[in-house]
Amino acid sequence: MIRPMTQRNCPKCGDSLGPQFARLKMMNCPSCGTSLFVQDDQMRLAGEQGVMHDVPLLFGLGDRVVIGGLTYHPVGHARYSYGRGTWDEFWTTSDTGAGRWISVDEGDVVVQEPLDGGMPAFSTPPALGSAFRCLDGHFTVTEAEEATCVALRGNFPDLLLIGEVHHFINATAADATLLSGEFGPDGARWFLGEWVDPFDVRVDRR
């Protein structure tokens, strides 16, 4: 039996959000631009989006990004401040339908997928330099940062909030595979991927 898709409408302007937003938790209304999130299967106002100051970016929302023969479409842009600077996280869709995060930090680029299983059993961030085993690999924590979400634009698979503080760690395996952990009020989330040479990123501007 095929279940009918729940109709979602913007609580501010009333316009239909369309079926393309069915799997998202946070989005901008395409009609009025209001930031929204899903709670108890209802659309609600998500609050402020912060100020996304103009800085040089490798790519932006709406661009077409090609990495390693795969095409990504950035639909969400979050900026985090860690005191000494900021970095940008882009939620992207692909031609295969899979969602990926692309992080850009001062020229360093990482493509990662969210992990649903095989995640490390840490409730708090492991210390810098500590080693652990995950997904049949051995990882060492090479970076640990505390960062605050300062600006949001677009659509995301999870609810992000301005001013929310997260603890991030990056752990690297011998083959340069990157495992990142994000620790926040709702627990830990993990992401697996690899570093990308920015010169191997092709961008078609919108």
Side-chain angles (χ1 to χ4, degrees), residues 4-205:
M5 184 173 295
T6 301
Q7 178 66 43
R8 291 177 177 169
N9 297 83
C10 175
K12 185 172 182 179
C13 72
D15 199 7
S16 171
L17 296 175
Q20 68 268 33
F21 298 114
R23 296 183 179 180
L24 295 170
K25 295 294 184 183
M26 187 173 184
M27 65 208 72
N28 289 131
C29 173
S31 296
C32 68
T34 300
S35 185
L36 310 167
F37 75 100
V38 180
Q39 184 182 59
D40 301 326
D41 206 32
Q42 299 293 319
M43 298 305 307
R44 305 186 189 280
L45 301 180
E48 61 180 303
Q49 294 181 302
V51 178
M52 190 74 76
H53 295 288
D54 288 333
V55 297
L57 292 172
L58 186 61
F59 55 81
L61 296 183
D63 290 342
R64 181 175 176 268
V65 181
V66 181
I67 302 173
L70 297 177
T71 300
Y72 301 91
H73 306 278
V75 297
H77 179 191
R79 180 166 293 163
Y80 289 88
S81 171
Y82 55 95
R84 303 184 306 278
T86 62
W87 83 81
D88 296 281
E89 300 269 358
F90 293 89
W91 175 249
T92 71
T93 59
S94 69
D95 291 339
T96 63
R100 295 289 185 272
W101 285 99
I102 301 180
S103 302
V104 183
D105 182 6
E106 297 181 353
D108 293 327
V109 180
V110 177
V111 179
Q112 292 181 301
E113 63 178 313
L115 287 178
D116 292 327
M119 295 175 285
F122 293 111
S123 58
T124 58
L128 189 67
S130 61
F132 59 91
R133 186 175 179 85
C134 177
L135 300 172
D136 297 324
H138 293 274
F139 292 85
T140 301
V141 179
T142 53
E143 290 184 278
E145 293 284 0
E146 180 180 280
T148 303
C149 183
V150 295
L152 297 167
R153 294 292 183 273
N155 310 319
F156 300 94
D158 301 294
L159 175 62
L160 305 177
L161 297 174
I162 297 297
E164 193 169 63
V165 177
H166 295 266
H167 297 272
F168 293 87
I169 64 104
N170 284 331
T172 307
D175 62 357
T177 298
L178 183 70
L179 179 68
S180 297
E182 175 189 329
F183 298 80
D186 297 326
R189 294 185 295 177
W190 294 89
F191 311 88
L192 187 69
E194 59 184 7
W195 298 99
V196 174
D197 188 329
F199 291 103
D200 292 333
V201 179
R202 193 181 86 226
V203 179
D204 295 329
R205 302 293 181 184

